[in-house]
Amino acid sequence: MNSDYEILEETLKSAGAAMGAAESHGILCGKLAVQHGTSEESWVRDVFDGIDEATASSCRESLTALYHDTCNQLDDQGMTFQPFLPDDNAALEQRVEALGEWCRGFTVGLALSGLTSTRLAQLSDQSREFLSDLNQIVLISSDVEENDESETNYVELLEYIRVGVLFLFEEFRPKSPQPTLH
């Protein structure tokens, strides 16, 4: 299992956080998609809602590292972004459950960032379809058989989400036109 994921998941659980590592990361990505300048502090407040500061401090270092890694991945032209999930050594059931939690967090992050129905209507058909798909993926059942077909389906779904998020980021934050050389 992704040791960073496992450590943050356990730390959040011990601190009494209302969400785990996957959902927390989904919220961060959703907020960053709509508001590129989303502050680390704003996201950490969302994760620590209802937790006293002394307890929350045990998670702060891991969350800070995750925040900066995520911002770097999303800004990387090499498309290195990956949702923060258990690695391939974890049971498929656990990975599927975490993927559903990540998608729930992403949609919550979009809402927390003020994605309005007006702005949603201005998105491309592909982006609106992707967001509709995410709302269905949130409902995914983790009751899956451990076999090659299920593994392939999971990998394909994860890649669809990864690429869809990157496409959505590009649509929300189009690149500035490059200056023309004269």
Side-chain angles (χ1 to χ4, degrees):
M1 177 175 283
N2 178 343
S3 62
D4 291 340
Y5 178 89
E6 194 174 82
I7 290 167
L8 183 56
E9 182 74 13
E10 186 56 41
T11 304
L12 288 170
K13 182 187 265 184
S14 297
M19 65 189 84
E23 188 171 0
S24 298
H25 188 249
I27 288 174
L28 172 61
C29 294
K31 291 181 83 167
L32 287 170
V34 177
Q35 298 175 342
H36 179 58
T38 294
S39 72
E40 175 186 338
E41 196 54 42
S42 167
W43 171 58
V44 168
R45 273 194 311 272
D46 294 334
V47 174
F48 290 152
D49 187 33
I51 299 176
D52 66 87
E53 187 60 36
T55 305
S57 67
S58 64
C59 302
R60 174 129 350 236
E61 186 176 321
S62 295
L63 290 174
T64 295
L66 182 58
Y67 174 85
H68 291 287
D69 288 347
T70 301
C71 289
N72 290 335
Q73 286 179 3
L74 290 168
D75 287 335
D76 181 22
Q77 294 298 314
M79 297 177 53
T80 60
F81 169 75
Q82 290 290 331
F84 191 61
L85 299 167
D87 72 17
D88 293 341
N89 294 327
L92 182 59
E93 184 175 284
Q94 182 182 6
R95 290 181 284 145
V96 168
E97 182 177 348
L99 184 61
E101 291 169 359
W102 190 94
C103 291
R104 180 177 36 258
F106 188 81
T107 59
V108 168
L110 293 173
L112 289 172
S113 293
L115 179 61
T116 62
S117 57
T118 303
R119 190 158 181 206
L120 183 61
Q122 295 169 346
L123 293 175
S124 68
D125 290 342
Q126 293 94 340
S127 290
R128 286 194 311 273
E129 182 179 348
F130 173 69
L131 291 174
S132 176
D133 290 345
L134 280 185
N135 284 323
Q136 294 303 306
I137 296 168
V138 165
L139 304 173
I140 197 168
S141 170
S142 61
D143 185 24
V144 294
E145 290 185 38
E146 294 263 353
N147 59 41
D148 290 343
E149 182 181 357
S150 295
E151 185 68 36
T152 299
N153 291 339
Y154 171 80
V155 169
E156 289 174 359
L157 183 59
L158 178 56
E159 184 64 7
Y160 172 71
I161 292 167
R162 187 185 81 76
V163 171
V165 167
L166 289 169
F167 183 80
L168 197 61
F169 269 78
E170 288 299 312
E171 188 160 348
F172 275 119
R173 302 180 311 167
K175 298 290 183 225
S176 303
Q178 296 297 318
T180 308
L181 294 176
H182 295 281

